[in-house]
Amino acid sequence: MFIKKDLRKIDVILKDPESIPFLKLARRPAEWNGSLKTLINSSNIHMLTPLETLSVYESKITDISALSKLEHTSIKQINVGRNPITSIPSDLALLDTLKDFWADDCEVAGELPAAFYGMSNLEQIRMSGNKLTHMDDSKIAQLKNLKVLCLDNNQITELPPNLRKLKALESLLVRSNLLVNIPEVIFSNPCLSNLKLLHLSSNKLTSLPDSLVSLSGLETLYANGNQIAVLPVGFGTMEKLKKLQLANNKISELPSDFTDRFGVVEGVKGLLLADENCNVNVIGNPIVNVIVEAKKKQLKEEQAAEKRRLETTMDTS
């Protein structure tokens, strides 16, 4: 979430009623002194009622406990990214109007913060670049309005099976984690019917669940940079698929329904071009490496033939 910085001092901004709904207060560590209490305190809280968006990105803030005092405001978006925050206070759940919460590149470890499970109106959680390891399977379904869950670059080892109950979810991004497998039940019909973007790249997956192909609304799948050797049958039936990135895995052959729809690998770039409505890339897999080696061999033979031809020409001249 990019918000242009307001260059005025906080006390000056608070005297301007037109500025209150959208406070763009990023990158000003000297004013915050490590805490949001500079802004959110008993003297100012009455002025913050119209507040909808608050950005305090990259301000060396360690204490965000004051956020719960915004419960009687109109707050919809909060960005506390790139601050050395180690925890999200549980009483953040008091902000029942909040829709978007950004805390990328902080230092939150362990479970996805419990506060989120009590926020039924939350539509977007972005906590990439933290140290999260898991989500509470018994509570994750409470995020019934969640549309975007972005947990890239964490230490997550598994996805909770009840993730399948997030019917509003449109984008799931968990690249660069420690995932080894994904439970079949997560993608089984009629689960996650609104999912359009699935980002699984740079994990430790050795396979994709067979149920993945039942995601009828999926448009984009990134599964590059894993250890996937075999693809599930059924990709040919995913009619809305527009981008399929499978580069740098261990795929040595493709299912027949896959090649029926997308064609065969076209040259050393690892592209499959038969379906003009879907971009498919399998570069960096054994199936492409065979082609690369064959091309190298062909080139070497052609160069040798050309060298012999030149030598023969010189001998006869």
Side-chain angles (χ1 to χ4, degrees), residues 15-203:
K15 294 175 183 177
D16 178 7
E18 293 185 0
S19 297
I20 299 300
F22 305 100
L23 292 179
K24 311 159 187 178
L25 307 176
R27 298 189 177 96
R28 50 175 79 208
E31 287 187 83
W32 290 115
N33 195 28
S35 171
L36 291 177
K37 295 175 182 177
T38 302
L39 171 69
I40 308 171
N41 56 58
S42 57
S43 299
N44 297 336
I45 195 64
H46 67 284
M47 293 185 285
L48 299 176
T49 302
L51 181 63
E52 296 183 18
T53 297
L54 174 63
S55 173
V56 294
Y57 181 87
E58 200 171 4
S59 294
K60 297 185 179 179
I61 292 170
T62 58
D63 179 10
I64 61 171
S65 59
L67 283 175
S68 63
K69 292 182 171 60
L70 298 176
E71 64 175 309
H72 298 303
T73 70
S74 302
I75 192 70
K76 293 181 175 64
Q77 296 179 321
I78 293 176
N79 187 348
V80 294
R82 288 207 175 184
N83 284 294
I85 297 164
T86 58
S87 64
I88 306 298
S90 59
D91 58 3
L92 188 74
L94 294 172
L95 307 184
D96 57 8
T97 60
L98 192 67
K99 292 187 175 182
D100 301 334
F101 185 83
W102 298 56
D104 294 319
D105 302 313
C106 295
E107 298 176 14
V108 182
E111 183 186 322
L112 183 72
F116 297 143
Y117 302 129
M119 304 170 78
S120 59
N121 291 314
L122 204 57
E123 295 182 356
Q124 182 168 210
I125 297 172
R126 289 187 176 269
M127 291 195 66
S128 61
N130 281 276
K131 300 175 183 178
L132 300 175
T133 56
H134 64 288
M135 294 168 259
D136 189 333
D137 187 50
S138 68
K139 296 178 180 179
I140 193 72
Q142 295 176 25
L143 296 168
K144 60 182 181 180
N145 289 310
L146 195 67
K147 295 180 179 179
V148 177
L149 180 58
C150 179
L151 303 175
D152 293 337
N153 298 300
N154 277 282
Q155 299 170 16
I156 297 170
T157 56
E158 59 183 0
L159 298 181
N162 278 323
L163 197 66
R164 71 188 189 278
K165 295 181 180 179
L166 301 186
K167 295 181 179 180
L169 195 65
E170 296 178 359
S171 298
L172 175 59
L173 302 97
V174 287
R175 63 180 171 178
S176 297
N177 276 282
L178 303 174
L179 298 173
V180 176
N181 61 68
I182 298 173
E184 285 283 347
V185 68
I186 291 180
F187 300 136
S188 297
N189 268 330
C191 303
L192 300 179
S193 57
N194 288 308
L195 194 67
K196 296 179 175 62
L197 169 63
L198 179 57
H199 212 319
L200 302 171
S201 65
S202 301
N203 278 283

Side-chain angles (χ1 to χ4, degrees), residues 220-254:
T220 303
L221 171 62
Y222 290 92
N224 49 295
N226 282 285
Q227 300 173 32
I228 299 166
V230 179
L231 296 178
V233 173
F235 272 106
T237 66
M238 302 178 74
E239 296 179 356
K240 294 187 178 180
L241 202 59
K242 297 177 181 177
K243 185 166 186 176
L244 180 54
Q245 176 57 266
L246 297 168
N248 301 313
N249 278 287
K250 296 183 178 181
I251 301 167
S252 57
E253 61 179 319
L254 300 170

Side-chain angles (χ1 to χ4, degrees), residues 258-275:
F258 193 98
T259 54
D260 287 345
R261 175 178 174 183
F262 302 117
V264 296
V265 179
E266 299 282 346
V268 297
K269 293 183 178 181
L271 302 176
L272 289 85
L273 305 174
D275 185 346

